[in-house]
Amino acid sequence: GRGVVDDKGPLAACLEALKAVREENCNTSLLIVTDEETKNQDIIKVIKSGKFKPDFCLAADGGERHRFDVGQKGNLWLTATVTTKGGHAAFADEGVNAANVLNQFIGALQVWGQKLPCQKPFSPAFINISQFKANTEPLNFNKIATAKLQISFPPPQTTEMWLARIKQNKKIKIK
């Protein structure tokens, strides 16, 4: 079906790799999930079950321009919200635009994440903004801005490390 063309070739390659490894009498498994583009609930259920304990894992989804990408070890999904006093565009020096504050926060967080240690061969951390909303009224600054973020990060970074950094900014409320 639509949206799976990037999975068909990699799946065939995984099946061939699995076949070759099995011929070497290795204990191997192949795990195929259907929600890698969203929150990965399928893989989370399998891992929490304790029944799947691979020595290594090959994930053959992603990449572009004939480049091999090494995926991230951790993902953090959250909603960040900023509430400000807003203001009128005629008095810009007196107002605070929530959308600008949130945008600056996300940019600074991205820069911070790029400076963190990154274990080879993983890719550096990145932030995906899946949704950005702000209340808009003509000639008024936004009082509320909300963004849904996916933060993907490599080892040795942790969820706790990222949350601690985010919580340092008292203007940002997360859930």
Side-chain angles (χ1 to χ4, degrees):
R2 291 183 62 206
V4 298
V5 73
D6 68 327
D7 293 325
K8 291 176 184 175
L11 178 56
C14 284
L15 290 170
E16 285 300 311
L18 181 64
K19 181 179 164 186
V21 172
R22 287 240 166 131
E23 289 172 1
E24 298 296 321
N25 294 322
C26 292
N27 182 11
T28 58
S29 298
L30 177 62
L31 179 62
I32 302 168
V33 296
T34 60
D35 66 340
E36 81 280 356
E37 303 292 344
T38 57
K39 290 198 173 189
N40 290 307
Q41 293 301 310
D42 291 346
I43 190 75
I44 290 168
K45 286 180 205 171
V46 171
I47 290 169
K48 284 184 176 180
S49 76
K51 295 177 182 176
F52 186 72
K53 297 179 182 178
D55 293 323
F56 63 92
C57 182
L58 173 63
D61 187 12
E64 59 184 51
R65 295 184 207 94
H66 307 291
R67 182 181 85 203
F68 181 75
D69 289 334
V70 178
Q72 305 303 317
K73 195 72 170 170
N75 280 298
L76 173 63
W77 290 272
L78 58 91
T79 301
T81 302
V82 174
T83 304
T84 65
K85 66 180 182 175
H88 193 278
F91 308 101
D93 57 332
E94 297 174 13
V96 179
N97 189 327
N100 289 349
V101 172
L102 184 55
N103 201 21
Q104 289 167 358
F105 167 75
I106 294 168
L109 192 62
Q110 178 73 37
V111 168
W112 175 80
Q114 293 286 315
K115 293 178 181 177
L116 291 175
C118 178
Q119 192 177 79
K120 291 187 177 197
F122 291 93
S123 305
F126 65 90
I127 299 175
N128 179 43
I129 304 169
S130 62
Q131 188 177 61
F132 194 102
K133 290 185 192 177
N135 66 320
T136 55
E137 298 174 25
L139 302 176
N140 286 317
F141 288 148
N142 299 299
K143 291 182 181 178
I144 301 172
T146 302
K148 290 187 178 183
L149 307 175
Q150 175 196 1
I151 303 171
S152 297
F153 51 89
Q157 299 170 29
T158 65
T159 299
E160 293 77 18
M161 181 187 295
W162 278 88
L163 285 174
R165 178 64 179 205
I166 292 166
K167 289 177 181 177
Q168 286 178 357
N169 189 322
K170 302 299 180 200
K171 296 176 186 174
I172 308 297
K173 303 295 179 222
I174 61 168
K175 60 177 181 169

